[in-house]
Amino acid sequence: MYEKGIEYQNNRRKYSDLTADEIEIRLIKPEEYPLLKEFLYDAIYLPEGAAAPPREIVNQPELAVYITDFGQPDDLCMVAEACGHILGAAWTRILAGKVKGYGNVDDHTPEFAISVKKEFRRQGIGSKLMQEMIVLLKNKGYEKVSLSVNKDNYAYRMYQKLGFQVLREQDEDYLMVLAL
């Protein structure tokens, strides 16, 4: 995990000075799956000034479905790493069970979840993670991928730039799909 004050080993730069070009994007290792719980919590959209919910919120079924028993055949995850620390993760699952994801469109379409540590947002890391995941999904033969994003979340524009289209406008969010 990220630790403030640790410096970049090669040229003594602080992590906060890293850019997306210096981040390695790779598949998650099974021993790193537990990190998804923290990334899921960080992925919860909070409007400006809103109080953060308790961390236990990720144990509620509608959120836990994104990480419980991660590592199933259709589960995919890529992480952004720098200096041995994971700064972000993008993962997909087919959420076809009793509890569906917020971005569920059908029982065959993987649904995206993405999170970049707050101190590394707006540096292109999320876009890079998603681009790599989109290539992986195409190579695996998926026809499309979906996600849900709050209407006020700045990430909405990133998803549009990546080619996601609004499939359905809901009260607080957009259900978006990308044809692969």
Side-chain angles (χ1 to χ4, degrees):
M1 298 295 287
Y2 168 78
E3 298 175 35
K4 286 192 181 231
I6 292 180
E7 296 183 354
Y8 193 58
Q9 297 167 354
N10 295 338
N11 60 10
R12 310 292 294 171
R13 291 177 54 211
K14 293 181 182 178
Y15 279 135
S16 58
D17 295 333
L18 291 172
T19 67
D21 293 333
E22 299 170 278
I23 305 294
E24 176 191 357
I25 305 296
R26 63 168 176 79
L27 289 171
I28 194 169
K29 298 171 187 170
E31 62 269 20
E32 296 167 331
Y33 292 168
L35 296 175
L36 292 177
K37 188 170 190 175
E38 184 68 23
F39 280 109
L40 178 61
Y41 179 78
D42 286 344
I44 297 170
Y45 174 73
L46 295 174
E48 192 71 34
R55 291 198 173 279
E56 296 77 35
I57 195 167
V58 297
N59 297 325
Q60 294 181 3
E62 62 272 14
L63 290 176
V65 70
Y66 288 92
I67 57 171
T68 301
D69 297 325
F70 193 85
Q72 303 306 307
D74 286 310
D75 293 347
L76 299 171
C77 180
M78 302 202 83
V79 295
E81 179 181 16
C83 304
H85 296 278
I86 297 180
L87 309 179
W91 66 100
T92 61
R93 300 191 93 174
I94 294 179
L95 300 173
K98 182 178 177 183
V99 179
K100 308 270 190 232
Y102 292 104
N104 181 271
V105 295
D106 60 40
D107 291 349
H108 308 287
T109 301
E111 183 178 341
F112 250 112
I114 182 170
S115 177
V116 174
K117 292 289 181 187
K118 288 182 175 101
E119 49 270 59
F120 297 101
R121 292 180 184 167
R122 297 182 185 253
Q123 296 181 36
I125 296 169
S127 293
K128 196 169 181 177
L129 273 167
M130 292 200 60
Q131 289 166 346
E132 293 290 329
M133 182 60 83
I134 289 166
V135 169
L136 180 61
L137 290 165
K138 284 180 184 178
N139 290 341
K140 294 273 186 184
Y142 291 101
E143 295 179 15
K144 59 187 172 183
V145 64
S146 67
L147 59 81
S148 173
V149 61
N150 186 286
K151 290 178 179 179
D152 296 326
N153 190 331
Y154 70 89
Y156 170 68
R157 288 181 295 286
M158 175 182 69
Y159 303 144
Q160 285 181 308
K161 287 178 184 176
L162 290 168
F164 281 83
Q165 302 289 317
V166 174
L167 179 67
R168 184 170 51 244
E169 182 175 348
Q170 302 171 129
D171 288 340
E172 296 182 13
D173 61 328
Y174 296 113
L175 178 59
M176 301 183 81
V177 174
L178 174 68
L180 302 171

